[in-house]
Amino acid sequence: MELVTTKELSVLWGISARRIAVLCEENRIKGALKKGKTWLIPKNVDKPYDERHKRITGTIEDYKKIESRYNVIYPDSPNATYTSLLNYSDDLNKPFQRWYRYKEGYSVELVEQLINEYCCKKKGVILDPFSGSGSTLLAAKEMGYSSVGFEVNPFSFFLAQCKLDTYDKELIDQFKKSYESILENAEKCEIEYKLPKLSISEKVFEKNIERYYMTICYLIDAEKSIDIKVKKLLKLGWLACLEPLSNYRKAGNGLKIKKYARPRILTIEDAKIMLLEQYQNIYIDLLKNKDFENINLINDSCMNMNKYLKNNSVDGIIFSPPYANCFDYTEIYKLELWFGGFVHEYADLKKLRCKSLHSHLNGNLNPEVESRSEFLSILVDKLSEKKLWDKKIPKMLKLYYDDMFNVIDQCYEALNINGFCSIVVGNSAYGGIVFPADLILAQYAESIGFKVDKIEIDRYIITSSQQYEITKDAGKYLRESVICLVKNK
Ligand SMILES: C[S@@+](CC[C@H](N)C(=O)[O-])C[C@H]1O[C@@H](n2cnc3c(N)ncnc32)[C@H](O)[C@@H]1O
């Protein structure tokens, strides 16, 4: 009788090695035996039938049945605690968070609340695999926890790095002197400048603003005697004013030309005031910055987390991944990426897109993956029969969930026993079919050994009346939730 490991069997069965280990522990695989820490299983043994997936056909009854397995807290329940904390807008006036309006971020208060509720230790390590603007790490720092973060987008990484660095008095003074001198000299300066190779570069600013804005950048780069951390802060303040000074605004999955009832006339003086206010806010917050060394921010995909993290080395994980809604962060942040010098050629942008989670249609959608969720497979099969605005959507969803399952696997490995993992996620809908990410991910996490403590729904996603009509009963599953998981064994 040939024996195989959980890893080898996972390829044959199309479910994760961790799930197979759980099935072995539950005595559900005939002939499985444990040697040390390794399970050995007869290669030809029958795959156990998964009771949880009995008669799933993708109807609204299935959503209800799956949801009924969990402790689901609705926004109007007296037990709802996170409602309104998912939104970054409350943080716009908060120290450090106001350095850049990262509208996909959540509030520092949400992170504090989750740590207080779930972290068993007063000191420990908090991980965020999708750190974005660094809200999780910032809250962890404020509370005295060490932290690790992964972020694939170099602009977001740069933003979080600036917010989390430590600055002594000398650096803070240097920063103030530098921005005051740059703003004073910029108007008088005559320089030659080149715009990035982005196709819309010429249309980003009105010409007077473009010249002034690019002169500031030139002067920042020309500051040879200042510390690199100060230079980065100057660049960040400058980048934070890019969108407000430009002719574009972030809207949905991309940029739209700003429209005004009356033509907007922006003067150099307006631009100067905007930059000065931005720099002054940074300066005021720097005076409150805490000396804290134990932050490890990594500019890499969280798909590679296991290369950096030891098993059982973190105490809590809090994150919000990109949602499966076709938003491409490299598209939304393309002005910052090009003007900030994080990409120089379209090939650089393409590489970034391929490294990001499969939440959009611009990455590499070629890989073939085995589905690890029967519920998801049924929904994707139903979707494949529909007429969609892009026929690659079913493939994107398969890859998105495969990425997310890999992230959950790696989170499980990285966590200590009794560690917690909180995922802020939004559900999405295509062709009238709702993909309930909160239920699909909770089900998967449970299958690999996590306890699903609760799913708290923060808000319902408001859709167009047309979308509302086609999603009908399933419409109430279009929502943003926090999935709270605990690793018990
Ligand atoms: C919803 S945002 C996170 C916001 C963050 N919680 C905050 O408060 O700022 C998701 C982030 O995941 C990043 N991302 C996408 N794919 C990634 C990957 N494979 N690895 C790491 N980060 C990724 C995006 O660039 C984006 O910044």
Side-chain angles (χ1 to χ4, degrees):
M1 180 173 52
E2 191 183 343
L3 296 174
V4 289
T5 61
T6 51
K7 204 166 178 188
E8 287 159 337
L9 200 57
S10 76
V11 181
L12 299 173
W13 284 3
I15 60 176
S16 74
R18 176 69 216 149
R19 173 69 188 149
I20 297 173
V22 170
L23 291 170
C24 291
E25 274 152 24
E26 290 172 353
N27 271 332
R28 293 183 51 203
I29 303 182
K30 222 171 152 188
L33 46 104
K34 203 169 188 180
K35 273 247 162 97
K37 284 186 174 173
T38 312
W39 281 101
L40 294 172
I41 307 148
K43 188 175 178 185
N44 296 326
V45 73
D46 288 337
K47 181 179 171 185
Y49 179 68
D50 198 334
E51 286 292 317
R52 294 165 312 153
H53 298 148
K54 226 182 206 169
R55 292 187 303 278
I56 288 181
T57 53
T59 63
I60 192 71
E61 291 313 312
D62 292 326
Y63 290 65
K64 284 186 193 156
K65 213 183 301 163
I66 295 170
E67 183 166 293
S68 69
R69 295 174 44 83
Y70 302 116
N71 169 23
V72 178
I73 297 172
Y74 298 94
D76 51 3
S77 149
N79 297 333
T81 43
Y82 312 136
T83 315
S84 87
L85 294 181
L86 264 55
N87 204 326
Y88 196 83
S89 56
D90 291 347
D91 270 23
L92 288 178
N93 296 320
K94 298 233 172 94
F96 304 99
Q97 292 292 72
R98 63 181 174 169
W99 290 11
Y100 184 91
R101 187 181 191 283
Y102 203 75
K103 65 187 180 64
E104 298 78 15
Y106 44 52
S107 69
V108 166
E109 215 181 319
L110 172 74
V111 182
E112 288 168 355
Q113 203 158 312
L114 286 165
I115 294 180
N116 283 332
E117 194 175 339
Y118 282 103
C119 201
C120 320
K121 295 188 187 163
K122 284 276 161 270
K123 295 271 169 261
V125 182
I126 303 293
L127 162 70
D128 185 343
F130 299 91
S131 58
S133 67
S135 313
T136 306
L137 280 64
L138 189 66
K141 175 181 173 176
E142 292 295 320
M143 295 173 82
Y145 286 86
S146 302
S147 58
V148 187
F150 290 83
E151 173 55 54
V152 82
N153 182 323
F155 166 67
S156 315
F157 170 79
F158 166 80
L159 164 63
Q161 198 184 39
C162 288
K163 284 160 70 178
L164 295 162
D165 248 328
T166 47
Y167 304 87
D168 60 23
K169 184 163 179 327
E170 199 183 319
L171 290 183
I172 300 172
D173 288 345
Q174 200 180 71
F175 172 66
K176 186 167 189 287
K177 270 196 205 124
S178 306
Y179 74 72
E180 284 174 349
S181 120
I182 288 173
L183 290 180
E184 196 179 313
N185 294 324
E187 268 172 278
K188 299 172 244 159
C189 222
E190 280 290 325
I191 58 142
E192 293 286 317
Y193 61 87
K194 259 198 189 151
L195 291 174
K197 286 188 196 164
L198 171 68
S199 62
I200 57 165
S201 277
E202 294 284 348
K203 293 186 275 179
V204 173
F205 302 103
E206 296 307 317
K207 281 296 157 204
N208 61 335
I209 300 295
E210 177 188 290
R211 169 155 291 282
Y212 181 70
Y213 192 70
M214 295 309 288
T215 305
I216 302 275
C217 179
Y218 173 89
L219 292 175
I220 296 173
D221 289 341
E223 288 269 0
K224 293 281 178 263
S225 58
I226 57 170
D227 191 279
I228 182 73
K229 283 191 191 176
V230 172
K231 212 169 224 193
K232 285 183 175 179
L233 285 177
L234 293 168
K235 244 322 164 23
L236 177 62
W238 176 77
L239 281 171
C241 295
L242 200 169
E243 189 186 340
L245 289 176
S246 79
N247 294 325
Y248 288 88
R249 66 183 174 90
K250 295 183 176 63
N253 181 22
L255 299 173
K256 287 216 171 92
I257 292 266
K258 291 177 188 165
K259 291 218 168 84
Y260 298 94
R262 270 186 243 138
R264 178 180 76 146
I265 300 166
L266 255 187
T267 63
I268 302 295
E269 195 50 31
D270 296 330
K272 190 173 174 180
I273 292 171
M274 194 183 285
L275 281 154
L276 182 63
E277 272 178 10
Q278 189 61 31
Y279 283 137
Q280 281 173 339
N281 282 342
I282 296 179
Y283 174 72
I284 293 166
D285 296 346
L286 283 176
L287 298 172
K288 296 177 204 147
N289 95 100
K290 281 189 191 163
D291 194 1
F292 199 82
E293 295 298 334
N294 299 325
I295 300 172
N296 189 5
L297 188 59
I298 298 157
N299 186 198
D300 195 358
S301 165
C302 61
M303 293 297 148
N304 300 325
M305 272 193 302
N306 50 9
K307 290 192 193 148
Y308 301 85
L309 298 174
K310 289 200 184 113
N311 284 359
N312 311 315
S313 63
V314 307
D315 302 289
I317 304 177
I318 302 173
F319 68 93
S320 173
Y323 302 165
N325 54 9
C326 292
F327 276 34
D328 174 0
Y329 280 74
T330 62
E331 182 61 27
I332 301 172
Y333 286 94
K334 73 177 173 196
L335 291 185
E336 289 78 0
L337 284 168
W338 284 93
F339 279 84
F342 301 105
V343 301
H344 301 281
E345 304 288 340
Y346 274 94
D348 302 337
L349 203 62
K350 190 154 188 223
K351 260 191 224 152
L352 274 183
R353 288 180 168 157
C354 291
K355 241 181 140 183
S356 317
L357 207 76
H358 289 95
S359 61
H360 57 84
L361 297 160
N362 300 332
N364 173 10
L365 297 177
N366 293 328
E368 289 301 330
V369 287
E370 281 294 325
S371 173
R372 287 182 261 170
S373 155
E374 203 170 333
F375 184 36
L376 173 69
S377 302
I378 286 160
L379 295 180
V380 171
D381 287 349
K382 275 177 84 174
L383 186 66
S384 305
E385 291 161 14
K386 305 257 175 184
K387 197 165 182 317
L388 300 169
W389 55 270
D390 191 311
K391 59 180 190 315
K392 297 193 291 295
I393 291 171
K395 187 66 189 289
M396 177 199 86
L397 287 165
K398 271 191 191 171
L399 289 167
Y400 173 83
Y401 281 100
D402 193 64
D403 286 348
M404 285 304 299
F405 296 160
N406 285 337
V407 172
I408 293 175
D409 284 343
Q410 293 193 35
C411 286
Y412 190 90
E413 299 301 337
L415 270 181
N416 276 321
I417 306 290
N418 295 329
F420 72 97
C421 176
S422 304
I423 310 174
V424 177
V425 77
N427 299 347
S428 51
Y430 296 97
I433 299 173
V434 174
F435 283 77
D438 50 4
L439 299 180
I440 297 170
L441 298 181
Q443 245 193 344
Y444 181 77
E446 192 183 26
S447 80
I448 64 158
F450 269 116
K451 172 180 170 248
V452 181
D453 184 58
K454 66 178 172 187
I455 300 175
E456 183 169 326
I457 297 160
D458 173 65
R459 66 175 189 107
Y460 294 100
I461 297 170
I462 300 157
T463 51
S464 62
S465 51
Q466 191 194 3
Q467 181 74 260
Y468 182 80
E469 189 47 38
I470 49 179
T471 48
K472 290 215 178 82
D473 293 347
K476 77 175 181 93
Y477 292 93
L478 257 181
R479 59 201 186 187
E480 230 175 341
S481 318
V482 187
I483 312 169
C484 296
L485 309 168
V486 178
K487 176 173 172 177
N488 279 341
K489 40 182 177 171

